[in-house]
Amino acid sequence: MAHLTGRWNDVVRAAGLVAPDGTVRATVFAEMSALATRTGAINLGQGFPDVDGPAHVAEAAVAAIRAGRNQYPPGPGVPELRSAVALHQERHYGLRVDPDTEVLVTVGATEALAAAVLALAGPGEEVLTLEPYYDSYAAVVAAAGATHVTVPLRVVDGSYRLDVEAFRAAVGPRTRIILLNSPHNPTGAVLDRAELEVVAAAAREHDVVVVTDEVYEHLVYDEAQHVPIAGLPGMAERTLTVSSAGKTLSFTGWKVGWVAGPAALVDAVRAVKQYLTYVGSGPFQYAVADALTDDDGRTRAWLADLVGSLEKRRDLLCEGLETAGFDVVVPQGTYFVVADGRPLGFDDGAELCARLPDLAGVVGVPVSAFCRDGATGEGFRSAVRFTFVKQEDVLREGVRRLAALRR
Ligand SMILES: *Cc1c(COP(=O)(O)O)cnc(C)c1O
């Protein structure tokens, strides 16, 4: 494995990927997927759909390629997509953004988040995230030379909630960015208005920018509702809202993302983005523009079916995990459920995941991979993330196999 000596060594170290001998390991996601391939286990680790997104949107991409839209798109993104993002924000949330100055198209949400952190935070400044957190956050905070501060989510009445007291205590004069994620990967938590009010009040008080990762904005279940923090009083002027087509449309390989917010902040993100990738995903931008504009309502109908089906698949997996003996926190959104292995006698989720192919022919990802070293607090050390964005028969077979743990 590689041995990094430059600045990026700090980045991989912050991501927990440097082995005791100084070499750089693969991410746990790659490791667990390789484990699944090697052992023939069912991969409920990595979260990508095993069926395609809507056919009419795929056709729009084909049409864009055939129409010759294959050269570099404009730096900020094609106008059709910027307008569609603005329309989407207005239609779903009543948020108004100017497509010319307040929307930037990026190579997935990942690039938007990286460019935002690199643009706005630096040495001596703090970036606050929830814990557990999406794995790229720690890497880009380290790349910016900033300090990563985390606030844990905790289980309250059967769902993961923000530790409000810990959050208030963590925001201070050195906080530059609050990097939020709701609906939340890996816990499936959907922050409610009261929690977001706490975040917003702290951001206003300390004059902090909120960068909010909303890639699962449409994948919420039961009575839960996604509330964009940009819509709270005084927040539009200090919030960068990040989303992408990957999760919403089940086209995770297209890597079409965007960021929306006040022109000055979006400009700063663009200043970094132009030297990361410059542009990307040309023809797919037109297809996503069609999907978001959705003149004929086909995308809305497809999405409603997807959410209904994901909700059923979530229930199937959650019930199976409970039957197998896990403690399960039923998620309100996303592709994922977190299950605790302690009732099965496993205190260490990483160890459980390493043995799971042998014990049950299934692969999951330890939640410790979403936590800082040594900060994997009480709740998360023994926790495992499983995905339910797999076809129902795959989940049924996974659940059947997991039942072996009980014996
Ligand atoms: C999948 C995911 C992303 C990455 O989105 P892309 O559009 O594929 O770059 C970002 N944040 C979270 C929380 C995710 O789960």
Side-chain angles (χ1 to χ4, degrees):
M1 259 296 181
H3 199 122
L4 299 180
T5 51
R7 172 90 199 256
W8 210 255
N9 197 44
D10 296 340
V11 174
V12 287
R13 194 175 295 282
L17 298 182
V18 179
D21 68 355
T23 58
V24 180
R25 287 185 287 111
T27 66
V28 179
F29 308 93
E31 209 177 279
M32 289 299 137
S33 285
L35 181 64
T37 307
R38 205 160 62 234
T39 57
I42 293 183
N43 191 353
L44 302 183
Q46 234 173 8
F48 58 88
D50 58 355
V51 287
D52 243 346
H56 71 278
V57 182
E59 285 310 318
V62 172
I65 290 170
R66 293 234 162 89
R69 299 185 145 165
N70 299 306
Q71 308 308 326
Y72 294 131
V78 303
E80 288 86 342
L81 180 52
R82 285 185 277 117
S83 294
V85 168
L87 179 68
H88 172 275
Q89 294 305 94
E90 164 112 57
R91 183 189 283 155
H92 288 277
Y93 310 119
L95 296 172
R96 307 195 80 145
V97 287
D98 178 343
D100 291 328
T101 58
E102 298 183 323
V103 178
L104 172 69
V105 176
T106 56
V107 180
T110 307
E111 188 192 35
L113 296 163
V117 171
L118 291 169
L120 302 174
E125 297 177 322
E126 295 177 355
V127 178
L128 192 154
T129 75
L130 306 174
E131 186 166 65
Y133 51 80
Y134 189 62
D135 66 329
S136 77
Y137 297 0
V140 296
V141 172
T147 304
H148 188 187
V149 174
T150 65
V151 174
L153 293 172
R154 299 201 185 288
V155 180
V156 180
D157 296 335
S159 70
Y160 280 102
R161 307 274 35 132
L162 179 68
D163 185 331
V164 167
E165 288 315 308
F167 183 87
R168 284 200 188 100
V171 185
R174 282 148 59 89
T175 312
R176 178 72 176 114
I177 299 176
I178 296 169
L179 173 43
L180 211 58
N181 170 216
S182 177
H184 180 259
N185 175 8
T187 64
V190 178
L191 298 184
D192 63 23
R193 194 171 289 274
E195 289 165 312
L196 293 170
E197 295 280 8
V198 170
V199 175
R204 287 188 304 257
E205 183 187 342
H206 295 279
D207 194 19
V208 170
V209 173
V210 173
V211 177
T212 171
D213 177 349
E214 304 186 355
V215 299
Y216 296 100
E217 60 186 318
H218 293 295
L219 306 184
V220 295
Y221 314 122
D222 308 327
E223 314 299 287
Q225 250 205 324
H226 170 62
V227 179
I229 192 166
L232 270 51
M235 292 309 290
E237 67 206 57
R238 61 175 69 255
T239 301
L240 284 169
T241 302
V242 173
S243 192
S244 88
K247 309 292 161 55
T248 296
L249 296 175
S250 298
F251 284 131
T252 60
W254 285 14
K255 295 297 285 190
V256 176
W258 53 86
V259 50
L265 291 178
V266 169
D267 255 357
V269 178
R270 181 165 47 209
V272 174
K273 184 257 189 303
Q274 67 189 340
Y275 294 126
L276 292 178
T277 58
Y278 176 44
V279 292
S281 313
F284 298 116
Q285 291 192 25
Y286 292 95
V288 173
D290 270 13
L292 293 185
T293 306
D294 198 28
D295 283 332
D296 53 14
R298 274 194 286 183
T299 307
R300 250 163 298 172
W302 178 88
L303 198 49
D305 281 352
L306 174 70
V307 171
S309 142
L310 278 174
E311 200 171 294
K312 260 200 266 166
R313 288 182 273 166
R314 170 200 65 171
D315 292 344
L316 173 61
L317 181 59
C318 288
E319 282 158 26
L321 287 166
E322 258 164 24
T323 305
F326 286 93
D327 258 350
V328 175
V329 179
V330 177
Q332 300 173 298
T334 77
Y335 286 168
F336 306 107
V337 52
V338 167
D340 194 327
R342 255 176 316 188
L344 289 161
F346 288 93
D347 288 335
D348 183 341
E351 188 202 323
L352 173 54
C353 286
R355 293 187 53 197
L356 212 46
D358 246 6
L359 295 171
V362 167
V363 161
V365 178
V367 174
S368 56
F370 303 84
C371 298
R372 291 183 302 171
D373 264 4
T376 56
E378 323 84 79
F380 294 114
R381 209 178 111 74
S382 49
V384 177
R385 188 195 77 171
F386 294 97
T387 183
F388 47 88
V389 69
K390 302 296 168 192
Q391 293 179 75
E392 207 170 303
D393 54 342
V394 175
L395 291 176
R396 280 195 198 287
E397 175 59 16
V399 159
R400 193 189 67 74
R401 292 182 182 193
L402 281 165
L405 289 172
R406 188 103 238 191
R407 273 167 253 135

